[in-house]
Amino acid sequence: MEEIYKIPMEEETLLSLSDYLEILNRRKWSLMIPTISISIVAAILSLILPAVYKSTATILIEEQQIPSEYVKATVTSYAEQRIHQIKQRIMSTSRLLEIINQFDLYKKLRVNHTTHDIVTQMRSNIKLDPISAEGMDRRLGRTVEATIAFSLSFQSQDSPQKVQQVAEKLTDLFLEGNRQERSKQTEEASRFLEDELNKVKFSLDSQEARIARFKEQHINTLPELLQVNIQSLNNIERNIEMQQEQLRNLKKQEGYFQSQLINVPPDLEEQQEDKKRLDELKVLLINLKSRFTDEYPDVINTQAEITKLEKQLAKQKSINPAVKDAAENPAYITLAAQLSGIQADIKSTHQQIVIMMQKAEKYRKQIEKTPRVEETYKTLTIKRNNTRTKYDDLMQKLLEAQVSQGLEAEQKGERFTIIDPPLFPEKPFKPNRLLIVMIGIVLGIGAGVCCAALREFSDNSVHSAEILTMTTKFPVLATIPLIITPQELIRKPQ
């Protein structure tokens, strides 16, 4: 090739295929050196990168086997929420360190790295990817995208067997974590409802005891006894009116018999004479004793006659002992007996009226107190009824929670099921050595092309007479051929 002096190019020219071949020939080392270097580096990198193995398990989220219309589950969290909660527990430092020590993982990292770095590395090696599908949400009544399964994988530079074992361990932890989480939620729900039920029962018993004491204190003024008290008061008032009417009639009869009794003498005529004679003899005996001794005959005879008359009058009085003043007149005795019976009836009737009036006053006071008692009693009853309703509601919920707890104990609720267990990784998950080599070759070619193009576009030399003529607008009269000296032969060709 002929070498021409460097002259700045003022105009762009179109290059032909021969021009490109000439440029390629001229810049072949600028193209080949980057391409070969980068390809070799990529090949070496693909060989020295450690193999990373990956084992993956697919876990299905099964719905509750028994319809929720029959048994309502007390687990309120969604499957996605529980998955993240379980993941956070498994990803804890203590749990990951336990797994690392159990399977003797990351031997090389333990030499120069801290425990925190190793745990962080393991966290990055555990991948959890949800698998979603569209379905009908019964609670919302619309189509939503729900998680029906998820994949759990573990990747590491350790042996394939260890990678599989760790993946199985993580899968078991997820399954057990879900079971424990659901059991814990059902147990906590049952325990909470039972505690609340005991509190409400204690409050209900206290209110029942308070109402019982209130009833005992106001047994006769309770609202339910108001009608009974009113009816009893009305009956007593009617009885009082009847007794008062009877008392008036009895008093009329008393007045009648008293008027009749005035006109009837209490004794007969002969009885009156005996009494008169007895009185005279008593006067005579006193006069005689004032003058004579007791042995005087007249004194003895007078005293004997007095004794005889007294016995006779006493005998007559014993025939009707109830008659006042020992009346002997039969008519007088009859009227007096009737009057005495009527007076006894009047006294009894009056006592009954007083007793009934006292009872009536008692019932009036009870009726007056009933509105105030009713207000307090109604407040206590409403509070008791509300507590009873709350108690019944909690009892129903507790029974449902206990049934749900049994559902979880028998694994009949929502659960995680392995559909694809962790498999033994037969080949490394990464690196993809062939892909690294191919990328290295592509990057090497690109780098070589860029290097060659850069050198070509930054070179302002003229390499042919035609380009010089087109650039200067002057014809080329002569060209000097390229003369290669021995010193140039040993130089590296450009």
Side-chain angles (χ1 to χ4, degrees):
M1 179 181 294
E2 299 176 349
E3 185 172 338
I4 310 298
Y5 293 105
K6 294 183 180 180
I7 299 176
M9 299 179 64
E10 298 178 358
E11 296 181 2
E12 295 183 356
T13 57
L14 296 177
L15 301 178
S16 62
L17 179 59
S18 59
D19 295 331
Y20 283 110
L21 293 176
E22 185 179 352
I23 293 173
L24 182 61
N25 183 56
R26 186 168 57 247
R27 305 297 181 186
K28 57 181 178 295
W29 294 111
S30 298
L31 177 64
M32 292 175 61
I33 291 175
T35 301
I36 295 173
S37 300
I38 295 177
S39 299
I40 292 174
V41 171
I44 295 174
L45 183 63
S46 66
L47 293 176
I48 64 174
L49 284 177
V52 178
Y53 295 93
K54 181 179 181 180
S55 182
T56 303
T58 303
I59 301 174
L60 178 66
I61 303 174
E62 291 186 329
E63 294 184 354
Q64 180 176 313
Q65 296 182 5
I66 299 176
S68 58
E69 290 80 6
Y70 301 136
V71 178
K72 293 183 179 179
T74 56
V75 180
T76 57
S77 59
Y78 291 95
E80 298 88 343
Q81 183 179 356
R82 287 201 311 280
I83 290 172
H84 288 292
Q85 291 175 351
I86 296 170
K87 180 181 178 182
Q88 293 302 319
R89 292 192 181 95
I90 294 176
M91 293 293 188
S92 64
T93 302
S94 59
R95 185 64 64 87
L96 292 181
L97 281 177
E98 180 182 347
I99 297 174
I100 291 171
N101 294 328
Q102 179 181 356
F103 296 99
D104 195 19
L105 302 175
Y106 306 108
K107 289 183 179 180
K108 297 179 180 180
L109 291 178
R110 293 184 186 182
V111 178
N112 299 321
H113 292 76
T114 63
T115 302
H116 176 73
D117 295 335
I118 297 173
V119 172
T120 304
Q121 179 63 35
M122 187 169 184
R123 284 198 185 104
S124 64
N125 291 339
I126 299 174
K127 301 295 182 183
L128 191 147
D129 298 317
I131 302 173
S132 303
E134 290 186 355
M136 178 63 68
D137 192 336
R138 298 178 182 178
R139 288 172 287 188
L140 300 177
R142 61 183 181 182
T143 301
V144 295
E145 187 172 338
T147 301
I148 61 172
F150 63 94
S151 62
L152 178 64
S153 62
F154 174 72
Q155 61 185 27
S156 176
Q157 298 176 6
D158 292 279
S159 64
Q161 184 177 3
K162 285 187 178 181
V163 172
Q164 183 187 18
Q165 291 174 351
V166 173
E168 290 176 350
K169 178 68 175 180
L170 293 173
T171 303
D172 293 339
L173 289 176
F174 262 90
L175 298 179
E176 182 65 19
N178 178 68
R179 188 190 65 79
Q180 292 180 355
E181 180 70 19
R182 292 185 65 87
S183 299
K184 179 181 177 182
Q185 291 187 18
T186 54
E187 290 176 1
E188 288 179 351
S190 299
R191 191 181 305 111
F192 171 77
L193 291 173
E194 188 173 357
D195 293 341
E196 289 298 315
L197 186 66
N198 292 333
K199 293 178 183 178
V200 174
K201 187 177 185 302
F202 178 78
S203 176
L204 181 62
D205 293 340
S206 301
Q207 293 172 10
E208 292 285 359
R210 185 177 179 184
I211 290 176
R213 291 194 300 270
F214 185 83
K215 285 184 175 180
E216 186 178 356
Q217 295 172 358
H218 306 84
I219 186 65
N220 296 320
T221 56
L222 294 175
E224 52 262 28
L225 297 178
L226 179 61
Q227 294 299 325
V228 177
N229 292 335
I230 293 175
Q231 185 65 33
S232 300
L233 178 61
N234 292 334
N235 294 335
I236 291 175
E237 289 177 346
R238 284 196 297 269
N239 291 333
I240 289 174
E241 292 177 359
M242 293 173 62
Q243 293 294 328
Q244 288 176 346
E245 182 66 25
Q246 184 179 356
L247 182 62
R248 287 191 292 268
N249 293 332
L250 288 174
K251 287 184 176 181
K252 287 181 182 179
Q253 292 179 11
E254 182 187 19
Y256 172 77
F257 282 111
Q258 286 178 347
S259 64
Q260 292 294 325
L261 195 62
I262 294 174
N263 299 325
V264 177
D267 299 326
L268 297 176
E269 292 182 0
E270 55 183 24
Q271 291 175 345
Q272 292 177 357
E273 291 179 358
D274 291 339
K275 288 182 177 181
K276 185 177 180 180
R277 176 61 182 168
L278 180 61
D279 292 337
E280 291 176 355
L281 289 174
K282 288 180 178 180
V283 173
L284 178 61
L285 181 62
I286 294 171
N287 291 330
L288 288 174
K289 284 185 176 183
S290 63
R291 293 180 297 167
F292 305 103
T293 63
D294 292 340
E295 288 81 6
Y296 189 73
D298 291 340
V299 174
I300 294 172
N301 293 331
T302 303
Q303 191 170 2
E305 189 178 358
I306 289 174
T307 302
K308 182 180 178 181
L309 286 175
E310 287 179 350
K311 289 181 178 180
Q312 184 177 355
L313 290 173
K315 183 179 180 181
Q316 292 176 357
K317 185 177 180 180
S318 63
I319 297 174
N320 294 294
V323 179
K324 185 178 179 182
D325 296 332
E328 284 82 10
N329 189 351
Y332 184 88
I333 293 172
T334 302
L335 289 174
Q338 291 178 350
L339 178 62
S340 178
I342 290 174
Q343 288 177 344
D345 292 341
I346 289 174
K347 183 177 180 181
S348 175
T349 303
H350 183 72
Q351 291 177 350
Q352 291 180 4
I353 290 174
V354 172
I355 293 174
M356 286 189 291
M357 290 182 69
Q358 292 176 351
K359 289 184 178 179
E361 184 64 22
K362 179 180 178 182
Y363 280 114
R364 289 190 188 96
K365 291 181 178 179
Q366 292 176 359
I367 293 173
E368 290 176 359
K369 291 180 180 179
T370 298
R372 296 191 296 272
V373 173
E374 182 180 8
E375 183 178 357
T376 305
Y377 182 73
K378 186 177 180 181
T379 302
L380 294 175
T381 305
I382 291 175
K383 189 175 181 180
R384 190 270 314 273
N385 293 338
N386 293 337
T387 306
R388 169 66 66 179
T389 302
K390 185 178 180 180
Y391 177 82
D392 295 338
D393 183 56
L394 285 174
M395 177 62 72
Q396 181 66 27
K397 291 180 179 179
L398 176 60
L399 293 176
E400 293 178 356
Q402 290 175 347
V403 173
S404 177
Q405 188 174 356
L407 184 74
E408 296 299 330
E410 296 181 6
Q411 296 291 312
K412 300 297 183 182
E414 185 183 83
R415 58 179 180 174
F416 292 167
T417 304
I418 300 177
I419 55 177
D420 285 331
L423 300 178
F424 182 83
E426 298 179 356
K427 60 180 181 178
F429 167 68
K430 61 181 182 179
N432 190 336
R433 306 184 190 280
L434 180 59
L435 180 61
I436 292 175
V437 172
M438 296 300 295
I439 293 175
I441 294 174
V442 172
L443 291 178
I445 294 174
V449 171
C450 291
C451 183
L454 182 61
R455 291 197 62 186
E456 180 65 26
F457 287 117
S458 62
D459 187 5
N460 292 326
S461 300
V462 178
H463 300 282
S464 64
E466 292 81 3
I467 294 176
L468 181 60
T469 302
M470 295 174 60
T471 302
T472 60
K473 304 301 182 180
F474 295 104
V476 178
L477 301 178
T479 61
I480 301 173
L482 180 62
I483 301 173
I484 300 176
T485 63
Q487 289 81 9
E488 293 176 342
L489 291 175
I490 62 177
R491 289 190 313 175
K492 183 177 179 179
Q494 297 295 325

